[in-house]
Amino acid sequence: MRLPTVRAEFREGADRSAKDQLTYLGYLAELLLAEFDDRARRRSDRRIKAAGFPRDKSLRTFEYEANPNIDPAVVNTLAKCEWVKKGQPLCLIGDSGTGKSHLLIALGTEAAMAGYRVRYTLATKLVNELVEAADDKQLAKTIARYGRVDLLCIDELGYMELDRKGAELLFQMLTEREEKASVAIASNEAFGGWTKTFTDPRLCAAIVDRLTFGGNIIETGTDSYRFAQTRARAGQATGT
């Protein structure tokens, strides 16, 4: 065999070996990326589950056209979670059926997906837990446990009147989190009506201050689009 032929075959074999090596490295890189993505997804799923959301809600399924009071640009900015990073509060205020809880859960889910520790609770459930902890001399431990989450989502604040002890304990928790960790609340009452929930005017004013200072407020309005959808479906069923 002539020398040029041997060199050509050697070069061809070397090129093929290099290509095979590159193909193998590319395949290995894809496997590693897939494993990384799978681990990240599992961590995200664990954080969402640990948050205790009562149902799945996402921003993708929110019907902005049904509620013109809500600016998609504002919500999309909140979805970036800078407010959670800065420990700022968020208040969602509006009547039932206007999308408050949907946004609360969806934004909480976005925070969990972004790597933040999130916890969802109803206002009355949280207050009852704090009262029981105080009675059992476990209040500091309970507040510390909630203090470890980056975002505390409190739903249905304002639906029921709280006694003075419960209101004071809630205020204590909010004070512990102030400017350190975020609180997001959903309430069917405008701030002026919170005296129905917090009957002490000074305590009420202090709680409103804790939940609004340096934070974000979204007013979802008074027209229930959930009721409007129900009425529309009923009309279609009856042909009216």
Side-chain angles (χ1 to χ4, degrees), residues 176-237:
E176 289 288 332
R177 298 182 64 85
E178 188 179 14
E179 296 186 31
K180 294 185 293 186
S182 291
V183 175
I185 65 99
S187 176
N188 66 315
E189 282 282 356
F191 296 120
W194 280 25
T195 51
K196 300 174 185 176
T197 300
F198 307 103
T199 54
D200 183 326
R202 295 181 62 184
L203 182 59
C204 180
I207 289 175
V208 171
D209 180 69
R210 293 291 187 279
L211 289 173
T212 56
F213 179 73
N216 304 275
I217 301 172
I218 295 180
E219 296 182 0
T220 59
T222 58
D223 297 327
S224 171
Y225 70 80
R226 196 163 55 203
F227 175 72
Q229 289 177 333
T230 302
R231 186 170 53 189
R233 285 195 296 268
Q236 291 174 354

Side-chain angles (χ1 to χ4, degrees), residues 143-210:
I143 290 180
R145 174 163 49 83
Y146 276 103
R148 287 192 288 270
V149 303
D150 303 301
L151 171 60
L152 177 60
C153 299
I154 305 175
D155 206 354
E156 297 186 1
L157 182 65
Y159 280 80
M160 295 182 64
E161 178 182 325
L162 301 177
D163 62 23
R164 184 176 181 84
K165 180 178 181 180
E168 288 177 344
L169 291 174
L170 180 59
F171 174 72
Q172 183 176 340
M173 169 168 280
L174 295 177
T175 300
E176 289 288 332
R177 298 182 64 85
E178 188 179 14
E179 296 186 31
K180 294 185 293 186
S182 291
V183 175
I185 65 99
S187 176
N188 66 315
E189 282 282 356
F191 296 120
W194 280 25
T195 51
K196 300 174 185 176
T197 300
F198 307 103
T199 54
D200 183 326
R202 295 181 62 184
L203 182 59
C204 180
I207 289 175
V208 171
D209 180 69
R210 293 291 187 279

Side-chain angles (χ1 to χ4, degrees), residues 5-27:
T5 303
V6 173
R7 287 177 175 174
E9 290 180 352
F10 179 78
R11 187 180 298 112
E12 182 180 348
D15 290 344
R16 184 163 54 249
S17 177
K19 289 180 180 178
D20 290 343
Q21 186 176 10
L22 287 173
T23 301
Y24 172 75
L25 290 175
Y27 176 69

Side-chain angles (χ1 to χ4, degrees), residues 126-136 139 163 165-167 169:
L126 175 60
V127 170
N128 289 338
E129 185 177 353
L130 293 174
V131 170
E132 290 177 6
D135 292 341
D136 295 337
L139 181 61
D163 62 23
K165 180 178 181 180
L169 291 174

